[in-house]
Amino acid sequence: MTATRPHSAHWGSFDAVVEQDRVVGVRPFAADPNPGALLHSIPGTVHAESRIDRPYARSGWLRGERAGAERGDRDFVPIEWDHAIRLVAEETARIRAEHGHSSIFGGSYGWSSAGRFHHARSQLQRFLGLGGGYTTQLTNYSYGAGMTLMPHILGTNDVLQGPVTDWSSIVRHTRLMLCFGGLPLKNALVTAGGAGAHEYVPWLRRVAEAGVRFINISPFRGDAPDFLQAEWVPIRPNTDTALMLGMAHALLAEGLEDRGFLATHCTGWEKLRSYILGETDGQAKTPDWAAAITGIPAERIRALAWDSVRQPSMLTATWSLQRAEHGEQPWWMLVALAAMLGGIGRPGEGVVFGYGSLNGMGTPRRGLPSVGLPATRNPGGIGIPVGRVTELFERPGQILQYNGRDIVLPKIRMIWWAGGNPFHHHQDLNRLRRGWNRAETIIVQEPWWTAAARHADIVLPATTTLERYDIGSSSSDRFVRAMHRAIPPQAQARDDHAMLADIADVLGYRERFTEQRDEAAWLRHLYERWRQAAARAHFEAPDFDRFWAEGHVEVPPPEEDFVLFADFARDPQAHPLNTPSGKVELFSDTIASFGYAEIGGHPRWQEPGEYLGAPMAERFPLHLLSYQPATRLHGQLDPGPVSAASKVQGREPLLMHPDDAAARGLEEGAVVRVFNDRGACLAGLRLDDGLRAGVVAMATGAWWDPLPEEGALDVHGNPNTLTRDVGTSRLGQGCTAQSCLVQVMAHHGVLPPVTVHRAPRSRERVA
Ligand SMILES: Nc1nc2c(c(=O)[nH]1)N[C@H]1C(S)=C(S)[C@@H](COP(=O)(O)OP(=O)(O)OC[C@H]3O[C@@H](n4cnc5c(=O)[nH]c(N)nc54)[C@H](O)[C@@H]3O)O[C@H]1N2
Ligand SMILES: Nc1nc2c(c(=O)[nH]1)N[C@H]1C(S)=C(S)[C@@H](COP(=O)(O)OP(=O)(O)OC[C@H]3O[C@@H](n4cnc5c(=O)[nH]c(N)nc54)[C@H](O)[C@@H]3O)O[C@H]1N2
Ligand SMILES: [Mo]
């Protein structure tokens, strides 16, 4: 018997095809104009060998080996669910009583799954908040520095989160698109909360057909699809700020800056101008100066500047540019460049961050919220910027500076993660593991034996979305999608909500946690809240029963183009920005007042500690970019066939320029060793002349598979074995994964197998 069930995931909406309680296939959602291949990894991943079949505890933890114990030893003992629930509840109560709420770390950063009710991180944080509070994480890995900076500069984060000037406005008005980091296709495979419609490629094609000229400023030609016929400007990584300053100088030299806009809509222009001209530091930021830093000829830099001022131009940068040391600078300087062109708030002009970073950016949409759990409270808790998590474990009692604040770091006794994978996402994994091991108790809820689950003391097996009912929804997607259960829970897996409700029961607050609703009542409740919010925004959604039977609700796009900052551009007095001056802050007194040496009052060129111009490049002469994977969502779907097919001898591919390979005697398809002082991993070599020489690139997301011996050599290829863990600056404290130098050489000797996609060996005895 074959049945189909409507369902949704971050990587697309689909109907699950089910036979005898197994997902055997997927059919893309009929309304999706451009469904992605990632859907086909679903059956293999849901039924993967690496599913966690039952609860486990680390045997050393059961024996009382707690703070300082080595984790990741794979020494797991199966335990019964009742036992697991009791252990977790009692340990939570003990730690709260002895050490206070903030000693529990529940930041639990991660994408979880598309379903909005069973969203694992939200469920855990609701549970911990109701239990008294916890230490949480602020901002995110995606654009943590940018989202801290932009409220100071533009008074909003719309410019990176949306709604942004939409594609229809670009089709009609833009002539030139200057794309720092390109417009990669792969990133638009996903939408957080579910991609009902992949509209990015159809829109890009329409923009190209309208005759818009594209310039791909990136170390990687592949960051722009062929059909855009983009001109490639290969830039040395992390030097975009210098290029923008060189362009700014070229504009000034010819008097091409929009003096009117700078006078009426901006503050601090005079100070930035002095810096560009070299009046403050004796160094004019000429195109020749920029050429030496960026590797782009000065003539090209001048031409870029003049071309952008001559016609309606949209400036855009990917989120990746600010995931680098001093990552605030290129984004701030791009705003300054857009201000010099005077296009901010004009149709098809101005600046936007992330057109090429996520499906839904720039897609015309109505301003409707998404379906979701009500915001959680965290009464006794505190927050740290997300990327500083290792420091949190390392430096209890000490101060962390962030955005003008001093945060006293609490001592973390318990780490609890649901819906994220720190051993995928965080930088310098060997250092993370040393900090992590200092906790007394580590709990991980996961469907799969990821590296995070393998580094837990208590592992609680979670269902996947296909094993439960839910609603998929994102504020940047036009479809709200019913997610019907397709198969029963696999082995002993349980829903995150259900296991947390049982733990809350032991702790005496089940009813406050569940609000006495079961799953079906929650879905009705959340949908109804959304329906009312939609009605306030003048959209009449069908009632729950009709939605559920039809499988989705479509929110039609608006009739008119949306242009970000249009009101402000028209009348800055009547519609000021939400900044101290009400204007674009090219100089920010607030930021200057923090007194951070590494970030001043205006954008400026700051050398990263690791880039091709740094002294360290003598020993480690290759700049490693770790970009988002085309074959997965981060670590999710890594066990699936799409990801598996991309690997080279089972390892994550490392892209390298043929000249760099030849200089090392390396050949396509070889397994290589990528290393620096922080760690080493294996990778499979792929040659690509679309990469700037001196740059190597590796996608994130191959499950970390460190050998216990050999200095934790990761045999699979997780680039975070190599990346540096330092904040962008004390302002943003964002992730700086894109500032990383490495060396590459042939791997000699026996090739250790990748074993991370199998369940760890565990003791057979049930404790
Ligand atoms: N070097 C480098 N590192 C990076 C980046 C980079 O560019 N370079 N990018 C960074 C960025 S932008 C991000 S957003 C992060 C992403 O980092 P994460 O969001 O942590 O990565 P995911 O692999 O999506 O982790 C989600 C986890 O949730 C689990 N999960 C899914 N559904 C459920 C569920 O229903 N219940 C439970 N309990 N678990 C579930 C999945 O199995 C998966 O292990 O990575 C960051 N790391
Ligand atoms: N398929 C898929 N799509 C995804 C994700 C995924 O895991 N899989 N993750 C999603 C998430 S969580 C996020 S936050 C977004 C991230 O979106 P982005 O941050 O935009 O994605 P990246 O792939 O990290 O970077 C885009 C490109 O920037 C270029 N780049 C890197 N450093 C520099 C630099 O210094 N200068 C210039 N000019 N270019 C540079 C790289 O060549 C890279 O290919 O992607 C989302 N989309
Ligand atoms: Mo992200």
Side-chain angles (χ1 to χ4, degrees), residues 167-179:
W167 290 116
S168 55
S169 175
I170 291 178
V171 168
R172 270 192 266 277
H173 302 281
T174 309
R175 299 314 301 153
L176 175 72
M177 252 185 118
L178 220 56
C179 310

Side-chain angles (χ1 to χ4, degrees), residues 211-235:
V212 173
R213 185 178 155 207
F214 292 91
I215 302 192
N216 171 25
I217 303 165
S218 169
F220 185 38
R221 186 173 56 209
D223 279 335
D226 291 343
F227 67 80
L228 296 184
Q229 299 187 344
E231 296 152 50
W232 181 34
V233 179
I235 188 171

